Structures are given as C-alpha cells and as structure tokens.
Amino acid sequence: MELIHTQPIVNSIIFSVLGIIILLAAYFIIEKITPENTWKEVVEKNNIAVAIVLAAFIIGISMIVSAAIHG
C-alpha cells in the first residue's frame, strides 16, 4: 500500500498562509501611509471611491504575491 504524498498539500498550506500574511502586512502599511482611516471611511461613511481603491489594491497585491510564489 502506497502512502499518499502530502508534500504538495503542505506546500500549498504554507504558501497560502505566507501570502495572507504578506497581504495583511501590505494593507497595514497602506493604512499607516494614508491620512484617513480607510476602514472607517468604507464602513462608517460608506465611501465607495475608497472601497474601490482598496479593492484594487488588495487584488493587485494578491496578484503580485501569487506570481512571486508561483515563480
């Protein structure tokens, strides 16, 4: 009976966690750089323009992290 190779699964979990950590770090850096609290602008003031910019930022960083991990 052959054991299932778990190395690809472990690699996937490690890279997923690493990507999420990098994305959160990038978000907190942008949060510190911007003059306004972006989360407060989106949630409390319903600022759709800030929400769109924040979404574009998250998608862009996610694509960069994905390409860097994929190689």
Side-chain angles (χ1 to χ4, degrees):
M1 189 170 178
E2 189 175 318
L3 292 175
I4 299 173
H5 298 287
T6 59
Q7 189 62 36
I9 297 170
V10 172
N11 287 344
S12 177
I13 292 171
I14 290 171
F15 286 134
S16 296
V17 170
L18 182 64
I20 291 170
I21 290 170
I22 292 170
L23 179 64
L24 288 174
Y27 170 74
F28 286 122
I29 290 170
I30 292 298
E31 186 69 34
K32 293 293 182 186
I33 291 173
T34 56
E36 293 290 326
N37 184 346
T38 56
W39 191 251
K40 182 179 175 184
E41 283 287 323
V42 172
V43 175
E44 292 179 5
K45 297 182 182 178
N46 295 327
N47 192 337
I48 304 232
V50 173
I52 292 171
V53 169
L54 192 59
F57 164 76
I58 290 173
I59 291 171
I61 293 296
S62 297
M63 290 174 67
I64 292 169
V65 170
S66 171
I69 289 174
H70 190 273

